[in-house]
Amino acid sequence: MNRRVLLYIFKSILYGTLTTCFSVYSLENMANVQNIIPVKTLVNSRDISQIDVNPSGELVVMSGHSKERFQLKLLTTDSTKETLIFSAKKGEQLRLYRFGWIDSKRFYFTLIKKYREAGKYVSWVVEVIDPKSLRFKKSKLSAQGYVIDALPLQENKVVYSARTGRYNRKVKVYETNVESMLKDNFKGQAKFKHKLSDGYNYRTDHNGDIRFASTFDEDTFVVTHWYLDDDNDWEELYNYDPSDNKFWPVGVIAKNKLAVLSNLTTDKVSLFEFNLDSKELGELIYQHPTYDLTSVNYDKIKGRLKSVTYLNSGERKT
């Protein structure tokens, strides 16, 4: 089954209500969509905030709310079968902080209290044991940190930002696996060698390589974003006061050209090209008519932008 068609289907379900996408699919694929899956019987779009299809195109994770409770569900794409992965307790104020597929049978998700109490980030890994019956195993992570990204075309491999050390928990970045995250033991795992001094918020490009990081000056209240070039040198991209502006690199789209989220030249945070040579914003790629964009999702296999996320009444919509 063609994963690009599946992505189009699920994004199209929400178009105009919860989802805003810019498509990379052909007209031929679009014409054949209606023969693949009964869209209207698959989901109720009013209950959905975010969705993600696994690399093999067989399974979908969906987040949203039912009876004012946050829920995370797993569905098959060749039927209407679904199962509940997580449901918040009544009155529990949770939101989804991060989630994504690690490979075709594993995904992770991180939840946070809406009011961000200290120590309230909790992460799980879910392994789908049987894709047909949706039988699964859910395990809470012992490691303190977060998944930066899954490595494309590699089973059970992620880039992970871990806080290690018994007393002074320093940030270290590893290429690792689910077992190491569950045990909080990264011995023997490949460590990222080009850390930026005082860097945080490490991010990858669509190849799974660390390309971006940020620093924050507490005295001047200035955030600086950095880009790791092909010579493994950190290059300053842009610095700004985060209370006034937004600037967030999201990926490499061409030689010497990035995609960034910014409101430097518009009244809403939108997706722009950014020239690495001139350090200036280029053409506008996408702007939502009403809301600020908060993130962008890549097709890691094709290296293409596939969807955007925005905030609507405090909830992320994809």
Side-chain angles (χ1 to χ4, degrees), residues 229-242:
D229 63 24
D230 293 336
D231 296 321
N232 291 321
D233 293 323
W234 286 103
E235 178 181 344
E236 184 176 327
L237 291 178
Y238 195 81
N239 59 72
Y240 65 103
D241 183 339

Side-chain angles (χ1 to χ4, degrees), residues 194-249:
H194 307 289
K195 281 184 59 182
L196 179 66
S197 179
D198 298 324
Y200 69 101
N201 268 337
Y202 289 95
R203 283 99 66 202
T204 62
D205 61 14
H206 63 274
N207 292 317
D209 297 322
I210 295 287
R211 287 293 181 192
F212 306 103
S214 307
T215 55
F216 177 66
D217 190 319
E218 295 182 358
D219 295 327
T220 61
F221 204 73
V222 167
V223 171
T224 302
H225 290 296
W226 302 82
Y227 173 74
L228 186 64
D229 63 24
D230 293 336
D231 296 321
N232 291 321
D233 293 323
W234 286 103
E235 178 181 344
E236 184 176 327
L237 291 178
Y238 195 81
N239 59 72
Y240 65 103
D241 183 339
S243 63
D244 296 329
N245 298 302
K246 170 82 173 183
F247 182 92
W248 189 258

Side-chain angles (χ1 to χ4, degrees), residues 295-311:
S295 64
V296 170
N297 195 11
Y298 262 100
D299 182 332
K300 299 182 184 68
I301 307 301
K302 298 295 183 180
R304 297 172 177 174
L305 300 169
K306 67 181 183 182
S307 66
V308 295
T309 300
Y310 59 91
L311 283 176

Side-chain angles (χ1 to χ4, degrees), residues 19 77 86 96 122 125 167 189 214-215 250 269 272-274 294:
T19 297
T77 55
F86 181 90
L96 189 62
V122 186
V125 168
Y167 300 108
Q189 303 298 302
S214 307
T215 55
V250 295
V269 177
F272 287 90
E273 293 181 355
F274 181 82
T294 60

Side-chain angles (χ1 to χ4, degrees), residues 58-303:
E58 299 174 309
L59 302 170
V60 181
V61 178
M62 293 187 178
S63 71
H65 287 78
S66 177
K67 298 180 180 179
E68 299 183 355
R69 297 185 185 185
F70 171 83
Q71 291 187 340
L72 196 69
K73 294 182 179 181
L74 179 68
L75 299 87
T76 59
T77 55
D78 59 356
S79 72
T80 57
K81 187 175 294 184
E82 69 175 58
T83 189
L84 184 65
I85 299 294
F86 181 90
S87 181
K89 299 176 182 178
K90 186 176 181 180
E92 193 174 18
Q93 296 297 306
L94 293 174
R95 71 175 177 86
L96 189 62
Y97 178 62
R98 292 175 180 267
F99 87 125
W101 287 94
I102 295 171
D103 51 37
S104 288
K105 63 180 181 180
R106 301 176 184 89
F107 67 91
Y108 68 92
F109 66 98
T110 300
L111 299 178
I112 181 176
K113 289 279 188 178
K114 280 196 173 182
Y115 299 104
R116 297 194 177 189
E117 292 97 328
K120 295 301 181 181
Y121 292 84
V122 186
S123 299
W124 288 266
V125 168
V126 177
E127 180 178 2
V128 183
I129 299 171
D130 183 2
K132 293 184 179 180
S133 67
L134 298 184
R135 187 163 59 94
F136 69 91
K137 177 183 178 182
K138 183 173 65 178
S139 304
K140 186 179 292 187
L141 293 187
S142 297
Q144 296 297 309
Y146 62 91
V147 174
I148 296 174
D149 205 355
L151 292 176
L153 302 178
Q154 297 189 52
E155 186 174 349
N156 191 17
K157 280 290 186 180
V158 299
V159 183
Y160 189 79
S161 177
R163 290 189 173 272
T164 61
R166 188 170 183 179
Y167 300 108
N168 184 16
R169 300 185 70 83
K170 296 182 179 179
V171 173
K172 295 183 179 180
V173 178
Y174 297 94
E175 284 188 10
T176 188
N177 52 43
V178 168
E179 292 74 24
S180 295
M181 293 188 296
L182 290 175
K183 296 177 181 178
D184 195 11
N185 184 349
F186 299 96
K187 184 178 180 179
Q189 303 298 302
K191 188 188 301 183
F192 179 60
K193 299 178 180 179
H194 307 289
K195 281 184 59 182
L196 179 66
S197 179
D198 298 324
Y200 69 101
N201 268 337
Y202 289 95
R203 283 99 66 202
T204 62
D205 61 14
H206 63 274
N207 292 317
D209 297 322
I210 295 287
R211 287 293 181 192
F212 306 103
S214 307
T215 55
F216 177 66
D217 190 319
E218 295 182 358
D219 295 327
T220 61
F221 204 73
V222 167
V223 171
T224 302
H225 290 296
W226 302 82
Y227 173 74
L228 186 64
D229 63 24
D230 293 336
D231 296 321
N232 291 321
D233 293 323
W234 286 103
E235 178 181 344
E236 184 176 327
L237 291 178
Y238 195 81
N239 59 72
Y240 65 103
D241 183 339
S243 63
D244 296 329
N245 298 302
K246 170 82 173 183
F247 182 92
W248 189 258
V250 295
V252 181
I253 56 177
K255 184 176 177 59
N256 296 325
K257 190 179 292 184
L258 306 178
V260 302
L261 293 174
S262 179
N263 63 350
L264 298 178
T265 59
T266 55
D267 61 344
K268 289 181 286 291
V269 177
S270 307
L271 187 64
F272 287 90
E273 293 181 355
F274 181 82
N275 190 293
L276 276 173
D277 295 325
S278 66
K279 301 294 190 299
E280 293 179 348
L281 293 179
E283 293 185 11
L284 176 67
I285 299 174
Y286 180 81
Q287 183 178 62
H288 191 280
T290 306
Y291 302 108
D292 290 334
L293 303 186
T294 60
S295 64
V296 170
N297 195 11
Y298 262 100
D299 182 332
K300 299 182 184 68
I301 307 301
K302 298 295 183 180

